[in-house]
Amino acid sequence: MVSSVLLLVLMQSGALCARRFRGGRNPQPRRAPPPPTYRADRGDTTESFPLDFTAVEENMNDFMTQVKNLAQSLYPCSAQKLDYDMRLNFLENTSVTCNDGSPAGYYLKESRGSRRWLIFLEGGWYCFNKENCDSRYETMRRLMSSSKWPQTKTGTGILSPLPEENPHWWNANMVFIPYCSSDVWSGVTAKTEQSGYAFMGSLIIQEVLKDLLNKGLDNAKVLLLAGSSAGGTGVLLNVDRVAELLEGLGHTGIQVRGLSDSGWFLDNKQYHCTDCVDTVSCAPTETIKRGIKYWGGVVPEKCKQAHEGEEWNCFFGYRVFPSIKSPVFVVQWLFDEAQLTVDNIQLTGQPVQEGQWRYIQNLEIFNYWIDVQVKGTSLPRALHCWDRSLHDNRNNKAPPKGCPVHLIDSCPWPHCNPTCPTIRDQFTGQEMNVIQFLMHMGFDVQKMAQQQGMDPSKLLGMLSSGS
C-alpha cells in the first residue's frame, strides 16, 4: 500500500513536470497495450522508464529499483524548479570597488517566502603594503579583482540549499560576498596613487545591504552575518555596523546576529622572531598596525574608544568582543593552523609558500561542519540551539534543555578528537599523526615525559590513542 502511494505521487509529479517542460501543454494520451511509461525531456533527448507493476508482488527490490529510475528521470525537472546556484550581482553603486577598481558584488540565491537571510563574508587573509599587495595581485588575483568571477556559485556547508548538508538554514535567502578588498573587511578608502589600490571592504558590505533591501531583505526577520578566516574577523568588525545601518534606514524589526568561524586570532608573540617581509613572516600585531594605516581601516566605535591611538587591537577577537552589542556565535579551532603559521610555528621546516597558504585558508570549520563534534554536539546542532535560545530570550521563555550553546573541547592534543579533519603536512600533503605533528613543532617527547613524571613509552601511547 505504501509503495503504491509512493508510486502514485511520483507519477503525478512527473506528469506536472512534463507539462511545464512542454510549455504548459497537456501530454498526449498513451495507448493501452504497452506498460505505463514515464517520459521526461532532457534537452534534445527523451528517455523512457517502463514500470512493471507485477514487481510489487514478486520482488520489492526490483520495484524499488524502478522507483529509483523514475526519481532519477524526475531530477532534471526538480533542478529546473529549484535553482540551487547563487547568481552574481554587481553593486549598483559603482564607486565601491575591489582592490583593482573592478566592480564589487555578491552572489544571491533567493528563497521566496523565507524571512531569514544569511550573508557570508569570504576569507583570504590580506596584504599590508604596496609590495606584498603587488605580489598578491600576481598570485591571487581572484582575491583582489572581480574580472574573472563566475556567473554562478554553488553553496556548500552553511550556504548549502540541501537540508541534509544544512539542516537548519537550507531554506534561507543565501548571499555570498567574495573577498576582493584584502583589508579584513575594514577599509573605506578609494584607490590613490600612493596606495595603488582601493580598500573598501567595510563599504562593500554596506552597499550589498542597500542593494538587498530592494530584493526582499526589507521584509527579513533574521539576518545572520557569517564568515570564515578574514571573513570571520570581518564579522566581528562589522556586525554592529550592519545592525546600525539597517536601524538607521528604518528597518528596526530585523534581528542582526553574527557567526565568526576561524576569525578569532590572537596577538601572540612569535615563536621565532623574523624580519617583517610579508603576512606570513610578520607578527600579527605588526601586520595589522601597518595594514590599518594602509587600508584606512575602520573598527567598531566602542572598541576604538577603548583603544584610542591603538585601534589595531580591535582586529583581535578577545579585544573587540566585549564592545559588540549584537549576538555573536564564535567557532574556533583550539589548534588553528593559520594562527600557528603567523606565530611562526610551521608544520614543515621550510617557509610557507603560496599554495600552502591557500591550503591553510581552506581549513575553516564550515568545510567540515557536519562532521566535527564537540562533546557529542555538531556545529549545526549548536547553532540551532543558539538560534532557539535567542528566540526564547526575546519571548521570555526558559532556555531549552539539552541544547548546549557553549562548548569547549577538553581534548589536550591536536586531533585527539576523532571527528576533526586529518592533519596533513603542508609541504608534502601527507597525513600526520599527533606525534609527527608535535615533532614538526619542535616538541621533545622524552623531555615532555620527564616533566610529567611519566614513562616516555606511556606518553607515546597516550598521544597515539588521543587520550
Side-chain angles (χ1 to χ4, degrees):
M1 178 62 182
V2 174
S3 300
S4 301
V5 172
L6 174 62
L7 179 64
L8 179 62
V9 171
L10 286 172
M11 291 186 70
Q12 287 177 339
S13 299
L16 288 171
C17 177
R19 281 198 291 272
R20 290 193 188 96
F21 261 64
R22 300 183 182 104
R25 297 195 306 272
N26 290 327
Q28 295 297 318
R30 296 190 179 93
R31 296 178 179 177
T37 302
Y38 171 75
R39 299 178 185 273
D41 295 346
R42 293 174 181 259
D44 296 325
T45 63
T46 300
E47 296 188 9
S48 301
F49 295 90
L51 295 173
D52 182 2
F53 290 100
T54 60
V56 182
E57 299 174 359
E58 297 173 4
N59 191 319
M60 181 58 71
N61 288 334
D62 288 345
F63 174 74
M64 292 310 295
T65 298
Q66 294 183 62
V67 171
K68 182 178 178 182
N69 289 338
L70 176 57
Q72 288 174 340
S73 76
L74 289 173
Y75 176 76
C77 171
S78 62
Q80 277 221 352
K81 288 188 294 182
L82 299 175
D83 188 351
Y84 289 159
D85 285 340
M86 298 179 285
R87 300 195 174 278
L88 177 61
N89 297 261
F90 288 114
L91 294 181
E92 292 181 14
N93 184 348
T94 56
S95 67
V96 176
T97 70
C98 297
N99 288 132
D100 67 347
S102 58
Y106 59 95
Y107 290 85
L108 169 64
K109 186 191 79 66
E110 296 179 66
S111 181
R112 304 284 183 186
S114 174
R115 298 183 65 193
R116 300 202 302 168
W117 287 72
L118 193 155
I119 299 178
F120 191 91
L121 308 181
E122 186 184 23
W125 218 233
Y126 53 85
C127 55
F128 60 87
N129 60 32
K130 182 70 164 59
E131 291 70 32
N132 58 56
C133 284
D134 286 344
S135 174
R136 179 181 173 92
Y137 192 70
E138 289 301 315
T139 58
M140 304 174 77
R141 189 165 301 185
R142 181 188 66 82
L143 295 175
M144 300 182 75
S145 173
S146 65
S147 59
K148 293 188 177 180
W149 286 354
Q151 289 300 306
T152 61
K153 190 173 185 68
T154 301
T156 58
I158 198 170
L159 287 170
S160 172
L162 304 177
E164 60 269 27
E165 292 181 19
N166 190 8
H168 305 297
W169 280 87
W170 64 273
N171 64 339
N173 296 276
M174 303 293 189
V175 182
F176 177 89
I177 312 182
Y179 184 40
C180 67
S181 57
S182 309
D183 56 4
V184 200
W185 298 97
S186 71
V188 292
T189 306
K191 185 176 180 179
T192 65
E193 265 190 49
Q194 186 176 2
S195 68
Y197 298 99
F199 297 99
M200 296 186 161
S202 185
L203 291 180
I204 290 172
I205 298 172
Q206 304 262 314
E207 292 302 319
V208 168
L209 287 169
K210 292 175 184 177
D211 284 7
L212 292 176
L213 287 171
N214 296 321
K215 298 178 184 290
L217 180 62
D218 58 329
N219 192 43
K221 184 177 180 182
V222 175
L223 187 160
L224 181 63
L225 183 68
S228 286
S229 189
T233 306
V235 169
L236 301 176
L237 294 175
N238 287 281
V239 64
D240 279 348
R241 195 178 298 274
V242 165
E244 289 161 7
L245 173 67
L246 293 174
E247 188 175 345
L249 294 173
H251 302 285
T252 56
I254 303 175
Q255 303 166 37
V256 177
R257 303 167 185 172
L259 171 57
S260 174
D261 164 34
S262 304
W264 188 280
F265 291 103
L266 303 174
D267 50 349
N268 294 336
K269 185 178 180 181
Q270 284 189 311
Y271 183 66
H272 296 295
C273 291
T274 57
D275 293 334
C276 184
V277 178
D278 53 33
T279 53
V280 175
S281 62
C282 261
T285 51
E286 187 59 34
T287 57
I288 294 298
K289 284 179 184 177
R290 298 185 187 191
I292 195 171
K293 292 180 181 177
Y294 186 52
W295 309 323
V298 295
V299 298
E301 188 60 34
K302 192 174 178 182
C303 188
K304 179 181 178 181
Q305 292 172 3
H307 300 281
E308 193 170 353
E310 295 186 328
E311 289 83 2
W312 57 267
N313 282 285
C314 300
F315 284 76
F316 297 97
Y318 74 102
R319 296 188 185 275
V320 69
F321 189 77
S323 70
I324 299 174
K325 294 181 289 185
S326 304
V328 175
F329 190 100
V330 175
V331 186
Q332 189 71 28
W333 299 107
L334 287 174
F335 292 87
D336 185 272
E337 294 197 47
Q339 179 73 54
L340 291 172
T341 300
V342 297
D343 289 345
N344 261 340
I345 301 173
Q346 296 170 12
L347 304 191
T348 68
Q350 306 178 32
V352 175
Q353 299 174 2
E354 203 69 54
Q356 296 167 268
W357 190 247
R358 286 195 294 271
Y359 161 79
I360 293 173
Q361 294 304 309
N362 286 328
L363 289 173
E364 288 86 21
I365 203 166
F366 285 141
N367 293 329
Y368 309 93
W369 87 311
I370 289 290
D371 303 318
V372 174
Q373 295 186 4
V374 177
K375 298 179 179 177
T377 300
S378 67
L379 178 53
R381 170 67 174 164
L383 274 174
H384 180 57
C385 290
W386 177 65
D387 204 38
R388 281 186 58 187
S389 69
L390 294 174
H391 179 268
D392 291 343
N393 286 342
R394 290 177 64 90
N395 292 282
N396 297 316
K397 293 182 181 179
K401 293 181 179 179
C403 212
V405 297
H406 185 220
L407 292 159
I408 299 178
D409 207 337
S410 55
C411 192
W413 306 109
H415 211 268
C416 58
N417 181 334
T419 68
C420 288
T422 304
I423 303 172
R424 294 187 179 275
D425 186 301
Q426 295 165 8
F427 187 71
T428 66
Q430 294 181 337
E431 268 189 42
M432 293 198 297
N433 60 33
V434 177
I435 297 171
Q436 291 170 323
F437 176 81
L438 292 174
M439 289 176 66
H440 272 282
M441 289 173 61
F443 282 95
D444 185 328
V445 176
Q446 295 276 349
K447 189 174 182 180
M448 289 170 63
Q450 289 176 358
Q451 291 173 345
Q452 299 295 324
M454 298 173 62
D455 183 82
S457 60
K458 184 178 180 182
L459 178 59
L460 285 171
M462 290 176 61
L463 293 174
S464 298
S465 64
S467 57

